Amino acid sequence: MDKRKLGTTNIEVSPLCFGSNIFGWTIDEATSFKMLDTVTGSGINFIDTANVYSYGLSEQLLGQSIKDLGLNRNELVIATKVRGQMSEKPNNVGLSRYHIFNSVDESLQRLQMDHIDIYYVHGVDQKTPIEETMRTLNDVVLTGKVRYIAVCNWPAWMVMKAQGIAEKNGWHKFIGLQYFYSLAGRDIEREILPLAADQHLGVMPWSPLAGGFLSGKFTRNTEKAGNSRRDVFDFPPINKERTYDIVDVIIETGKQYNVSAAQIALAWVRQQPGITSTIIGAKNIAQLNDNIRSTEITLSADDLQKIDAVSALAKEYPGWMAERQAADRK
C-alpha cells in the first residue's frame, strides 16, 4: 500500500487509517486482535482511537493487541484524542490544562506506550480559552509524550484563530484535521478543505460511509439493513432522500468495477484533492477486507463526474459571490 505525507510533517501514512473506536464497543478482545493483524498485514500503518471510545477500553485493547502481535511500535502512527467526558467528575472533560495533562498520561497508560504520535482535540470546549488549550498542547509536545497535535470538529474560523495564536507565540501548531466527509456529507468542502490547502494541513475524513448508509445496504426499498449499526444508531445526520440517489449511482458504478458500493464510496473520498488518510472501521473481518480493497480502485474521470453530479453541495453565500467576483481576476 502506498503512503502519503501527513501535512507539513515528514511522517508517511497509509491512504487508509484504521479506526479502532469499535474496540470494546461492538468488538471484543479476540476480534480486536484479529482485526489489527489484518490491518497491519495489509500495509496500513495509521491507527486512530480516542480516550472517550468505550471510556478507555478502545485504547486499552489497541495497546494490548499491538503488544500481543509483537508489532514494532515505531513502524506505526498512533493517534488518540482528548476532550470527551470520561466520568461524571467536574474536571474530567474539556480542553483545560488540567484535563489535557491528566488525559495524556491516562491514555499512555492504557495504550502501554511512552508517546502518542498524533494527539487530537476531539471537539470544541466553550468553557476553555483557545489560548489555554494551545499553550497546553505545546507544553505537552515539549514533554515528549506527544509528537504532533491536530484537531477534530472545530469550525474553520476557530482553527485559524488557534493557528494564529500558536504562530504568534512560537508554539506548536495543528498539523492535521479530522472531520466528517463522505458522499452524503461534503460540507467541509466549503471552508475546511480550503483552509487545509492554504495551511498545508493533512485531512483525515471520519465516517466516509456515513455510518454505513453508503454501504449499499440502504436503499429506498430497504430502510433497515437488519445488520448495520445505522439501524439503531442513526449517526451522522444526513439527508436520506438525497443520499438514496447517491446510493443508486455508486451501486451501478460498483457493478462496472465488480466491487461493492462501499468500495466506490471509499475510493471517491480517497481520490479527492487534499485528502491524506481516510478512516475506516468494520464490524467483522470480511467487511474490513472489503474496505481495504477500495485502495485497488481508481475511479475514471467520467465516473468521478457522475458521482460528483449527484452528490455536489448546493452553492451558498458568500461562496457563490466570491466565485462570481473572481471572474475578472483569472
Side-chain angles (χ1 to χ4, degrees), residues 72-203:
N72 186 336
R73 166 66 182 89
N74 291 330
E75 292 179 357
L76 300 173
V77 179
I78 305 296
T80 191
K81 310 178 187 76
V82 61
R83 193 268 176 236
Q85 187 167 8
M86 294 299 290
S87 77
E88 295 182 358
K89 301 297 182 181
N91 296 314
N92 213 4
V93 62
L95 298 174
S96 67
R97 186 175 185 85
Y98 182 94
H99 184 57
I100 289 174
F101 265 94
N102 289 347
S103 295
V104 168
D105 288 338
E106 290 164 0
S107 287
L108 288 173
Q109 184 176 10
R110 287 188 290 264
L111 289 165
Q112 302 183 60
M113 298 175 185
D114 61 7
H115 73 276
I116 296 161
D117 297 306
I118 313 292
Y119 200 49
Y120 290 99
V121 290
H122 206 169
V124 174
D125 176 10
Q126 302 92 326
K127 292 189 175 182
T128 303
I130 295 177
E131 290 85 350
E132 178 179 338
T133 297
M134 295 308 294
R135 178 166 188 169
T136 303
L137 292 172
N138 179 72
D139 291 347
V140 166
V141 173
L142 294 179
T143 67
K145 296 177 181 179
V146 168
R147 298 293 190 252
Y148 299 97
I149 56 173
V151 58
C152 306
N153 307 321
W154 282 17
W157 69 265
M158 191 175 288
V159 177
M160 276 308 305
K161 180 177 181 179
Q163 296 292 77
I165 289 169
E167 183 167 352
K168 177 182 177 181
N169 290 283
W171 299 338
H172 287 275
K173 298 194 292 184
F174 294 135
I175 55 88
L177 310 168
Q178 187 177 134
Y179 285 73
F180 171 48
Y181 188 45
S182 76
L183 283 167
R186 296 174 58 175
D187 307 76
I188 67 170
E189 292 176 7
R190 300 194 192 282
E191 299 289 344
I192 298 298
L193 288 183
L195 161 66
D198 180 73
Q199 296 294 302
H200 308 291
L201 301 172
V203 180

Side-chain angles (χ1 to χ4, degrees), residues 25-307:
W25 178 26
T26 57
I27 300 297
D28 59 18
E29 184 172 1
T31 308
S32 300
F33 178 94
K34 292 176 183 177
M35 280 200 167
L36 191 61
D37 190 31
T38 300
V39 164
T40 54
S42 74
I44 293 174
N45 70 339
F46 196 6
I47 303 169
D48 180 85
T49 186
N51 61 344
V52 77
Y53 296 157
S54 298
Y55 294 100
L57 189 54
S58 173
E59 290 180 323
Q60 182 180 329
L61 291 178
L62 174 59
Q64 190 61 48
S65 294
I66 290 172
K67 182 178 180 180
D68 290 346
L69 285 166
L71 299 175
N72 186 336
R73 166 66 182 89
N74 291 330
E75 292 179 357
L76 300 173
V77 179
I78 305 296
T80 191
K81 310 178 187 76
V82 61
R83 193 268 176 236
Q85 187 167 8
M86 294 299 290
S87 77
E88 295 182 358
K89 301 297 182 181
N91 296 314
N92 213 4
V93 62
L95 298 174
S96 67
R97 186 175 185 85
Y98 182 94
H99 184 57
I100 289 174
F101 265 94
N102 289 347
S103 295
V104 168
D105 288 338
E106 290 164 0
S107 287
L108 288 173
Q109 184 176 10
R110 287 188 290 264
L111 289 165
Q112 302 183 60
M113 298 175 185
D114 61 7
H115 73 276
I116 296 161
D117 297 306
I118 313 292
Y119 200 49
Y120 290 99
V121 290
H122 206 169
V124 174
D125 176 10
Q126 302 92 326
K127 292 189 175 182
T128 303
I130 295 177
E131 290 85 350
E132 178 179 338
T133 297
M134 295 308 294
R135 178 166 188 169
T136 303
L137 292 172
N138 179 72
D139 291 347
V140 166
V141 173
L142 294 179
T143 67
K145 296 177 181 179
V146 168
R147 298 293 190 252
Y148 299 97
I149 56 173
V151 58
C152 306
N153 307 321
W154 282 17
W157 69 265
M158 191 175 288
V159 177
M160 276 308 305
K161 180 177 181 179
Q163 296 292 77
I165 289 169
E167 183 167 352
K168 177 182 177 181
N169 290 283
W171 299 338
H172 287 275
K173 298 194 292 184
F174 294 135
I175 55 88
L177 310 168
Q178 187 177 134
Y179 285 73
F180 171 48
Y181 188 45
S182 76
L183 283 167
R186 296 174 58 175
D187 307 76
I188 67 170
E189 292 176 7
R190 300 194 192 282
E191 299 289 344
I192 298 298
L193 288 183
L195 161 66
D198 180 73
Q199 296 294 302
H200 308 291
L201 301 172
V203 180
M204 281 62 73
W206 60 263
S207 203
L209 297 180
F213 204 90
L214 295 170
S215 64
K217 298 176 182 177
F218 295 89
T219 66
R220 282 189 172 85
N221 297 323
T222 310
E223 295 185 5
K224 296 284 186 181
N227 60 348
S228 171
R229 181 185 71 173
R230 184 115 205 175
D231 289 335
V232 295
F233 185 55
D234 198 19
F235 182 85
I238 59 172
N239 182 330
K240 292 183 180 179
E241 280 303 311
R242 183 171 180 272
T243 305
Y244 286 136
D245 293 335
I246 298 170
V247 170
D248 289 343
V249 173
I250 61 175
I251 287 176
E252 286 304 310
T253 306
K255 290 177 181 178
Q256 297 173 28
Y257 289 82
N258 196 30
V259 300
S260 67
Q263 289 186 43
I264 297 298
L266 290 170
W268 180 88
V269 172
R270 191 188 80 248
Q271 287 182 236
Q272 295 311 295
I275 299 304
T276 304
S277 187
T278 306
I279 301 170
I280 60 168
K283 64 182 180 181
N284 55 55
I285 298 296
Q287 192 179 81
L288 177 60
N289 281 322
D290 188 76
N291 290 347
I292 291 172
R293 285 194 295 271
S294 69
T295 58
E296 300 170 6
I297 302 167
T298 301
L299 296 170
S300 70
D302 285 343
D303 288 325
L304 288 169
Q305 190 280 326
K306 291 176 184 177
I307 296 170

